[in-house]
C-alpha cells in the first residue's frame, strides 16, 4: 500500500520500558488504509531527517494504533501534534490464514497484529525445543512455505543447519530511512538479485533460501 498521510496524535501509551528504551503505542487519526502488521515510517516533521518505523497494531476508519520503539534520544510525538506517516510496502509474500509465525516474547509486538489477518503466532518458550515443535508440525502436514520465522539471524543460521532442505520465510528486521526503496538502508542481500531487495517495498518476509544469512546478521537490527 503506497500512501503518505498527515496524521494527528490522539494518545500515547507506554507499553514497556528497558532502561532508557521505551515501546509506545501511538493512537493517531487521519491515516490512509493500512493492514495490521504493516510496517510504516513516521516523522514529526515532513522534511525531518529523523524518521522511525512502527508496526500497525490496529486500523479502523482512519484511526490506527501504531507500536514503535523509542531510544533515549528520540523525540516522542506529543499528543495533539502532527505526524507524517508513510509506506510503500507491497509485500511479495502475504501472511494470513494457514500461516504460522514463530517469534520470541521480545519481538511479539511486531508480528502479533498478523493474527488479525488469520495467521497463528507461536511464541518461543524458554526451555521448549522449538525445532522439535516445528518438526512435528511439518510431519503433521504443515508446509514449510506456511512457516514464517521472526527470529534473530543467528537463530536462522541454526535453523538452516538443522533443516538444510526447509525453505520457510524469514522476517528481515531492517532499519529504514526513506521507506521508498531509494536509500538502500533496508536492502537485503539475496541470491537472485545482485542489487538486493528493499525490505521497505517488498518485505518484510523473504524466502530463507534466497537470503544471505551472514550478511543479514550484520545488516539487520536486533529483534527487540
Ligand atoms: S528505507 Fe530506504 S531503501 Fe528502504
Amino acid at each position: 500500500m503506497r500512501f503518505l498521510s498527515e496524521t494527528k496524535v490522539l494518545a500515547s501509551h507506554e507499553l514497556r520500558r528497558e532502561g532508557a528504551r521505551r515501546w509506545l503505542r501511538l493512537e493517531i487519526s487521519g491515516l490512509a488504509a493500512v493492514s495490521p502488521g504493516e510496517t510504516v515510517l513516521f516523522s514529526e516533521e515532513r522534511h525531518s531527517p529523523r524518521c522511525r518505523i512502527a508496526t500497525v497494531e490496529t486500523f479502523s476508519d482512519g484511526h490506527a494504533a501504531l507500536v514503535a520503539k523509542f531510544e533515549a534520544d528520540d523525540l516522542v510525538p506529543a499528543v495533539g501534534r502532527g505526524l507524517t506517516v508513510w509506506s510503500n510496502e507491497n509485500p511479495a509474500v502475504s501472511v494470513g490464514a494457514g500461516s504460522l509465525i514463530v517469534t520470541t516474547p521480545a519481538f511479539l509486538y511486531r508480528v502479533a497484529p498478523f493474527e488479525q489477518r488469520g495467521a497463528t503466532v507461536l511464541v518461543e518458550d524458554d526451555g521448549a525445543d522449538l525445532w522439535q515443535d516445528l518438526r512435528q508440525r511439518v510431519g503433521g502436514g504443515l508446509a514449510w512455505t506456511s512457516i514464517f520465522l521472526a527470529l534473530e539471524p543467528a537463530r536462522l543460521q541454526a535453523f538452516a543447519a538443522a533443516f538444510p532442505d526447509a525453505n520457510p520465510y524469514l522476517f528481515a528486521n531492517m532499519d529504514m530511512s526513506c521507506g521508498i526503496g531509494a536509500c538502500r538502508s533496508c536492502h537485503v542481500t539475496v541470491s537472485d538479485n545482485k542489487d538486493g531487495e528493499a525490505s521497505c517495498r517488498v518485505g518484510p518476509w523473504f524466502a530463507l533460501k534466497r537470503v544471505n544469512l551472514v550478511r543479514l546478521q550484520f545488516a539487520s537490527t536486533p529483534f527487540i
Side-chain angles (χ1 to χ4, degrees):
M1 171 68 68
R2 292 177 174 230
F3 68 86
L4 186 145
S5 299
E6 300 297 344
T7 72
K8 184 173 170 187
V9 180
L10 303 176
S12 166
H13 306 284
E14 184 173 304
L15 301 176
R16 195 165 108 217
R17 178 188 285 261
E18 281 178 28
R21 182 178 288 144
R22 296 190 291 162
W23 286 258
L24 301 182
R25 174 186 293 120
L26 302 174
E27 293 176 22
I28 62 173
S29 62
L31 191 64
V34 288
S35 301
E38 185 170 344
T39 299
V40 296
L41 287 89
F42 66 92
S43 169
E44 288 81 9
E45 293 170 27
R46 176 91 169 256
H47 301 295
S48 165
R50 294 188 63 81
C51 58
R52 289 184 296 282
I53 59 173
T55 300
V56 177
E57 187 178 60
T58 59
F59 175 77
S60 175
D61 284 340
H63 284 65
L66 308 180
V67 179
K69 179 176 59 176
F70 289 81
E71 304 292 345
D73 58 348
D74 285 337
L75 190 64
V76 173
V79 173
R81 292 290 300 273
L83 197 68
T84 304
V85 181
W86 69 98
S87 170
N88 277 265
E89 196 175 280
N90 186 15
V93 184
S94 76
V95 178
S99 303
L100 175 72
I101 301 175
V102 180
T103 194
T104 61
F107 201 65
L108 180 60
Y109 75 102
R110 290 295 307 274
V111 294
F114 284 103
E115 287 182 314
Q116 295 167 60
R117 301 194 200 180
T120 299
V121 177
L122 173 66
V123 182
E124 186 174 16
D125 227 349
D126 262 357
D129 187 339
L130 177 60
W131 294 172
Q132 180 60 16
D133 188 338
L134 292 178
R135 206 171 266 121
Q136 284 173 354
R137 288 171 189 260
V138 170
L142 185 67
W144 282 116
T145 48
S146 296
I147 296 178
F148 295 78
L149 304 176
L151 300 171
E152 292 273 3
R155 291 278 283 140
L156 297 174
Q157 289 176 43
F159 172 89
F163 300 94
D165 298 324
N167 194 19
Y169 292 97
L170 61 82
F171 189 106
N173 189 33
M174 312 298 279
D175 264 336
M176 294 181 188
S177 295
C178 69
I180 59 171
C183 73
R184 294 194 63 82
S185 63
C186 74
H187 274 59
V188 173
T189 304
V190 292
S191 56
D192 53 357
N193 184 345
K194 66 177 175 38
D195 294 328
E197 298 263 32
S199 187
C200 64
R201 298 194 60 190
V202 298
W205 303 103
F206 294 85
L208 182 139
K209 281 196 177 296
R210 289 183 73 205
V211 176
N212 182 320
L213 296 178
V214 175
R215 285 188 178 235
L216 186 70
Q217 183 165 6
F218 290 107
S220 71
T221 58
F223 280 61
I224 54 176

